[in-house]
């Protein structure tokens, strides 16, 4: 029984880590695409300066949406 509980906890922790990694990978992809498509130095700088939503804020908004459904 303890092994099952430990396995369940491990799976939850691992899924949270992979979700965060996927989110951050997506954010980095968007930033790289922005910079790749920038035609001017100003556009390139705007890509670098763009404020990205943190994973914690993203998760909070996601949970609020799910609760409303």
């Amino acid at each position: 029984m303890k092994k099952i509980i430990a396995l369940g906890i491990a799976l939850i922790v691992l899924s949270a880590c992979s979700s965060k990694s996927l989110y951050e990978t997506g954010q980095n992809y968007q930033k790289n695409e922005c910079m790749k498509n920038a035609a001017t130095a100003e556009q390139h700088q705007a890509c670098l300066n763009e404020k990205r939503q943190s994973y914690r804020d993203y998760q909070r908004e996601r949970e609020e949406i799910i609760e409303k459904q």
Side-chain angles (χ1 to χ4, degrees), residues 20-57:
K20 184 176 181 180
S21 294
L22 288 172
Y23 177 78
E24 290 173 353
T25 299
Q27 291 290 306
N28 288 333
Y29 175 80
Q30 288 177 342
K31 183 178 181 178
N32 289 335
E33 284 297 302
C34 180
M35 291 188 310
K36 184 172 82 175
N37 295 322
T40 65
E42 290 81 17
Q43 290 174 339
H44 186 269
Q45 191 62 42
C47 294
L48 292 173
N49 293 338
E50 186 175 331
K51 182 157 173 63
R52 304 283 179 181
Q53 184 179 36
S54 71
Y55 179 75
R56 178 179 282 163
D57 291 341

Side-chain angles (χ1 to χ4, degrees), residues 1-17:
M1 183 66 164
K2 289 182 181 180
K3 288 183 180 180
I4 293 173
I5 293 172
L7 179 61
I9 292 171
L11 288 174
I12 291 170
V13 170
L14 289 175
S15 69
C17 292

